Coordinates of all heavy atoms in Angstrom, one line a residue:
A1 N -10.6 48.3 51.0 CA -11.5 47.3 50.3 C -12.6 46.9 51.2 O -13.8 46.8 50.7 CB -10.7 46.1 49.8
L2 N -12.3 46.6 52.4 CA -13.4 46.3 53.4 C -14.4 47.4 53.6 O -15.6 47.2 53.6 CB -12.8 45.9 54.8 CG -12.1 44.6 54.9 CD1 -11.5 44.4 56.3 CD2 -13.0 43.4 54.5
H3 N -13.8 48.6 53.6 CA -14.7 49.8 53.7 C -15.6 49.9 52.5 O -16.8 50.2 52.7 CB -13.8 51.1 53.8 CG -14.6 52.3 53.7 ND1 -14.8 53.0 52.5 CD2 -15.2 53.1 54.6 CE1 -15.5 54.1 52.7 NE2 -15.7 54.2 54.0
Q4 N -15.1 49.7 51.3 CA -16.0 49.7 50.1 C -17.0 48.6 50.2 O -18.2 48.9 49.8 CB -15.1 49.6 48.9 CG -14.3 50.8 48.6 CD -15.1 52.0 48.4 OE1 -15.2 52.9 49.2 NE2 -15.8 52.1 47.2
I5 N -16.7 47.4 50.6 CA -17.7 46.4 50.7 C -18.8 46.7 51.7 O -20.0 46.6 51.4 CB -17.0 45.0 51.1 CG1 -16.1 44.6 49.9 CG2 -18.0 44.0 51.5 CD1 -15.1 43.4 50.3
V6 N -18.4 47.2 52.9 CA -19.3 47.5 53.9 C -20.2 48.6 53.5 O -21.5 48.6 53.6 CB -18.6 47.8 55.3 CG1 -19.6 48.4 56.3 CG2 -18.0 46.5 55.8
T7 N -19.7 49.7 53.0 CA -20.5 50.8 52.6 C -21.4 50.5 51.4 O -22.5 51.0 51.2 CB -19.7 52.1 52.3 OG1 -18.7 51.8 51.3 CG2 -19.0 52.6 53.5
G8 N -20.9 49.6 50.5 CA -21.6 49.2 49.4 C -22.8 48.3 49.8 O -23.9 48.5 49.2
L9 N -22.6 47.5 50.8 CA -23.7 46.6 51.2 C -24.7 47.3 52.1 O -25.9 46.9 52.2 CB -23.1 45.4 51.9 CG -22.4 44.4 51.0 CD1 -21.7 43.3 51.9 CD2 -23.3 43.8 50.0
T10 N -24.3 48.3 52.8 CA -25.1 49.0 53.8 C -25.5 50.4 53.4 O -26.0 51.2 54.2 CB -24.5 49.0 55.2 OG1 -23.2 49.7 55.1 CG2 -24.2 47.6 55.7
G11 N -25.2 50.7 52.2 CA -25.5 52.1 51.7 C -26.9 52.5 51.9 O -27.1 53.7 52.2
H12 N -27.8 51.7 51.7 CA -29.2 52.0 51.9 C -29.6 52.3 53.3 O -30.6 53.0 53.6 CB -30.1 50.9 51.3 CG -30.0 49.6 52.0 ND1 -29.0 48.8 51.8 CD2 -30.9 49.1 52.9 CE1 -29.2 47.7 52.6 NE2 -30.3 47.9 53.3
L13 N -28.8 51.8 54.3 CA -29.1 52.0 55.7 C -28.5 53.3 56.2 O -29.1 53.9 57.1 CB -28.5 50.8 56.5 CG -29.0 49.4 56.2 CD1 -28.2 48.4 57.0 CD2 -30.5 49.4 56.6
I14 N -27.4 53.7 55.6 CA -26.7 54.9 56.2 C -27.0 56.2 55.3 O -26.6 57.3 55.7 CB -25.2 54.7 56.3 CG1 -24.5 54.3 55.0 CG2 -24.9 53.7 57.3 CD1 -23.0 54.2 55.0
G15 N -27.8 56.0 54.3 CA -28.3 57.2 53.5 C -27.3 58.2 53.0 O -26.4 57.8 52.2
D16 N -27.4 59.4 53.5 CA -26.6 60.5 53.0 C -25.1 60.3 53.3 O -24.3 60.8 52.5 CB -27.0 61.8 53.6 CG -28.4 62.3 53.1 OD1 -28.8 61.8 52.0 OD2 -29.1 63.0 53.8
L17 N -24.8 59.6 54.3 CA -23.4 59.4 54.7 C -22.8 58.5 53.6 O -21.6 58.7 53.3 CB -23.3 58.7 56.0 CG -21.9 58.5 56.6 CD1 -21.2 59.9 56.8 CD2 -22.0 57.8 58.0
F18 N -23.6 57.6 53.0 CA -23.1 56.8 51.9 C -22.6 57.6 50.7 O -21.6 57.3 50.1 CB -24.2 55.8 51.5 CG -23.9 55.1 50.2 CD1 -23.0 53.9 50.2 CD2 -24.3 55.5 49.0 CE1 -22.7 53.3 49.1 CE2 -24.0 54.8 47.8 CZ -23.2 53.7 47.9
E19 N -23.3 58.7 50.4 CA -23.0 59.5 49.3 C -21.6 60.2 49.5 O -21.0 60.5 48.5 CB -24.1 60.6 49.1 CG -25.4 60.1 48.8 CD -25.5 59.4 47.5 OE1 -24.8 59.8 46.6 OE2 -26.4 58.5 47.4
T20 N -21.1 60.3 50.7 CA -19.8 60.9 50.9 C -18.8 59.8 51.1 O -17.7 59.9 50.4 CB -19.8 61.7 52.2 OG1 -20.8 62.7 52.1 CG2 -18.5 62.3 52.5
L21 N -19.0 58.8 51.9 CA -18.0 57.8 52.2 C -17.7 56.8 51.0 O -16.5 56.6 50.8 CB -18.5 56.9 53.3 CG -18.6 57.5 54.7 CD1 -19.2 56.6 55.7 CD2 -17.3 58.1 55.1
H22 N -18.7 56.3 50.3 CA -18.4 55.3 49.3 C -17.6 55.9 48.1 O -16.6 55.3 47.7 CB -19.7 54.7 48.8 CG -19.4 53.4 48.0 ND1 -19.0 52.2 48.6 CD2 -19.6 53.1 46.7 CE1 -18.9 51.3 47.7 NE2 -19.3 51.8 46.5
P23 N -18.0 57.0 47.5 CA -17.1 57.6 46.4 C -15.7 58.0 46.8 O -14.8 57.7 46.1 CB -17.9 58.8 45.9 CG -19.3 58.5 46.4 CD -19.2 57.8 47.7
A24 N -15.6 58.6 48.0 CA -14.3 59.0 48.5 C -13.4 57.7 48.7 O -12.2 57.7 48.4 CB -14.4 59.8 49.7
G25 N -14.0 56.7 49.3 CA -13.3 55.4 49.5 C -12.9 54.8 48.2 O -11.8 54.2 48.1
G26 N -13.7 54.9 47.2 CA -13.4 54.4 45.8 C -12.2 55.1 45.2 O -11.3 54.4 44.6
I27 N -12.1 56.4 45.4 CA -11.0 57.1 44.8 C -9.7 56.7 45.6 O -8.7 56.4 45.0 CB -11.2 58.6 44.9 CG1 -12.4 59.0 44.0 CG2 -10.0 59.4 44.7 CD1 -12.9 60.4 44.2
L28 N -9.8 56.6 46.9 CA -8.6 56.2 47.7 C -8.2 54.8 47.3 O -7.0 54.5 47.2 CB -8.9 56.3 49.2 CG -7.8 55.9 50.1 CD1 -6.6 56.7 49.9 CD2 -8.3 55.9 51.6
F29 N -9.2 53.9 47.1 CA -8.9 52.5 46.7 C -8.1 52.5 45.4 O -7.2 51.8 45.2 CB -10.2 51.7 46.7 CG -10.0 50.3 46.4 CD1 -9.6 49.4 47.4 CD2 -10.1 49.8 45.1 CE1 -9.4 48.1 47.1 CE2 -10.0 48.4 44.8 CZ -9.6 47.6 45.8
G30 N -8.6 53.3 44.4 CA -7.9 53.3 43.1 C -6.5 53.8 43.2 O -5.6 53.3 42.6
V31 N -6.3 54.9 44.0 CA -5.0 55.5 44.2 C -4.0 54.4 44.8 O -2.9 54.2 44.4 CB -5.0 56.8 45.0 CG1 -3.6 57.2 45.4 CG2 -5.7 57.9 44.2
L32 N -4.5 53.8 45.9 CA -3.7 52.8 46.6 C -3.4 51.6 45.6 O -2.3 51.0 45.7 CB -4.4 52.3 47.8 CG -4.5 53.3 49.0 CD1 -5.4 52.8 50.1 CD2 -3.1 53.6 49.5
A33 N -4.4 51.2 44.8 CA -4.1 50.1 43.9 C -3.0 50.5 42.9 O -2.2 49.6 42.6 CB -5.4 49.7 43.2
L34 N -3.0 51.7 42.4 CA -2.0 52.1 41.5 C -0.6 52.1 42.2 O 0.4 51.7 41.6 CB -2.3 53.5 40.9 CG -3.4 53.5 39.9 CD1 -3.8 55.0 39.5 CD2 -3.1 52.7 38.6
I35 N -0.6 52.6 43.4 CA 0.7 52.6 44.1 C 1.2 51.2 44.4 O 2.3 50.9 44.2 CB 0.5 53.4 45.5 CG1 0.3 54.8 45.2 CG2 1.7 53.2 46.4 CD1 -0.2 55.6 46.5
H36 N 0.2 50.3 44.7 CA 0.6 48.9 44.9 C 1.2 48.3 43.6 O 2.2 47.6 43.7 CB -0.7 48.1 45.3 CG -0.5 46.7 45.4 ND1 0.0 46.1 46.6 CD2 -0.8 45.6 44.6 CE1 0.0 44.8 46.4 NE2 -0.4 44.5 45.2
I37 N 0.6 48.6 42.5 CA 1.1 48.1 41.2 C 2.5 48.6 40.9 O 3.4 47.9 40.5 CB 0.1 48.4 40.0 CG1 -1.1 47.5 40.2 CG2 0.8 48.1 38.7 CD1 -2.3 47.9 39.3
V38 N 2.7 49.9 41.1 CA 4.0 50.6 40.9 C 5.1 49.9 41.8 O 6.2 49.6 41.3 CB 3.9 52.1 41.1 CG1 5.3 52.7 41.2 CG2 3.1 52.7 40.1
L39 N 4.7 49.7 43.1 CA 5.7 49.1 44.0 C 6.0 47.7 43.6 O 7.1 47.2 44.0 CB 5.2 49.2 45.4 CG 5.1 50.6 46.0 CD1 4.5 50.6 47.4 CD2 6.5 51.2 46.1
N40 N 5.1 47.0 43.0 CA 5.3 45.6 42.6 C 5.6 45.4 41.1 O 5.4 44.3 40.5 CB 4.1 44.8 43.0 CG 4.0 44.5 44.4 OD1 4.9 43.9 45.0 ND2 2.9 45.1 45.0
W41 N 6.0 46.5 40.4 CA 6.2 46.5 39.0 C 7.2 45.4 38.5 O 7.0 44.8 37.5 CB 6.5 47.8 38.4 CG 6.5 47.9 36.9 CD1 7.5 48.0 36.1 CD2 5.3 47.7 36.1 NE1 7.1 47.9 34.8 CE2 5.7 47.7 34.8 CE3 4.0 47.5 36.4 CZ2 4.8 47.6 33.7 CZ3 3.1 47.4 35.4 CH2 3.5 47.4 34.1
A42 N 8.3 45.2 39.3 CA 9.3 44.2 38.9 C 8.6 42.8 38.9 O 8.9 42.0 38.0 CB 10.4 44.2 39.9
W43 N 7.8 42.5 39.8 CA 7.1 41.2 39.8 C 6.1 41.1 38.6 O 6.0 40.1 38.0 CB 6.3 41.0 41.1 CG 5.6 39.7 41.2 CD1 6.1 38.6 41.8 CD2 4.3 39.4 40.7 NE1 5.2 37.6 41.6 CE2 4.1 38.0 41.0 CE3 3.3 40.1 40.1 CZ2 2.9 37.4 40.7 CZ3 2.1 39.5 39.7 CH2 1.9 38.1 40.0

């Protein structure tokens, strides 16, 4: 989540690197969020 915030706020500064880091981080964030929900499904 911190990675997504930082790359989102500084995307214009890091240019082409943003095009790789931010989308990949978003996919990882989504997968981790689903795993988190599955592990907490009883709650």
